[in-house]
Amino acid sequence: DAVYVRKSSDPQVEQSQIDAIKDYLVRKKIHVPEKCWFSDTGSRHWPEDRPDFQRLLELVNQRAVRRVFIWKQDRFVSGVRLWFHYLYQ
């Protein structure tokens, strides 16, 4: 399992995303090691420009990660086409 958090700009705080995901994981009794938490600052329109997103994607492609927890879909990518592209992967 892995967690992905993204903020749009540096001044933006991602703590609310982290808190919401942690709360969910506790309720579901799911443990995600800290080394499997990924975080980027960048546009949802350009996932290829986000280094942690790319590292996470590589782990998914290697089948080293089977589930990725995110706060909201727009924290991952923008638009239906990109969402389904990465969901398929």
Side-chain angles (χ1 to χ4, degrees):
D1 292 339
V3 171
Y4 183 74
V5 176
R6 181 191 64 81
K7 59 182 180 173
S8 301
S9 59
D10 283 324
Q12 205 177 33
V13 178
E14 70 266 353
Q15 193 60 48
S16 60
Q17 291 179 58
I18 292 168
D19 292 344
I21 293 170
K22 281 183 177 179
D23 181 58
Y24 176 82
L25 295 173
V26 166
R27 283 186 284 121
K28 297 296 183 178
K29 297 179 173 60
I30 299 168
H31 174 70
V32 178
E34 199 166 314
K35 69 177 185 164
C36 296
W37 283 67
F38 299 85
S39 178
D40 281 317
T41 299
S43 171
R44 66 182 177 214
H45 303 289
W46 305 108
E48 61 275 1
D49 291 343
R50 293 184 262 136
D52 259 13
F53 182 87
Q54 295 305 313
R55 281 191 283 281
L56 174 59
L57 188 58
E58 184 60 35
L59 290 173
V60 169
N61 288 332
Q62 294 171 4
R63 301 189 189 280
V65 169
R66 67 183 177 107
R67 296 186 295 188
V68 177
F69 296 94
I70 58 174
W71 179 58
K72 287 185 177 180
Q73 182 234 326
D74 75 338
R75 298 290 92 193
F76 205 60
V77 294
S78 175
V80 173
R81 291 168 82 188
L82 272 179
W83 173 251
F84 279 105
H85 170 77
Y86 287 110
L87 189 60
Y88 174 76
Q89 285 190 320

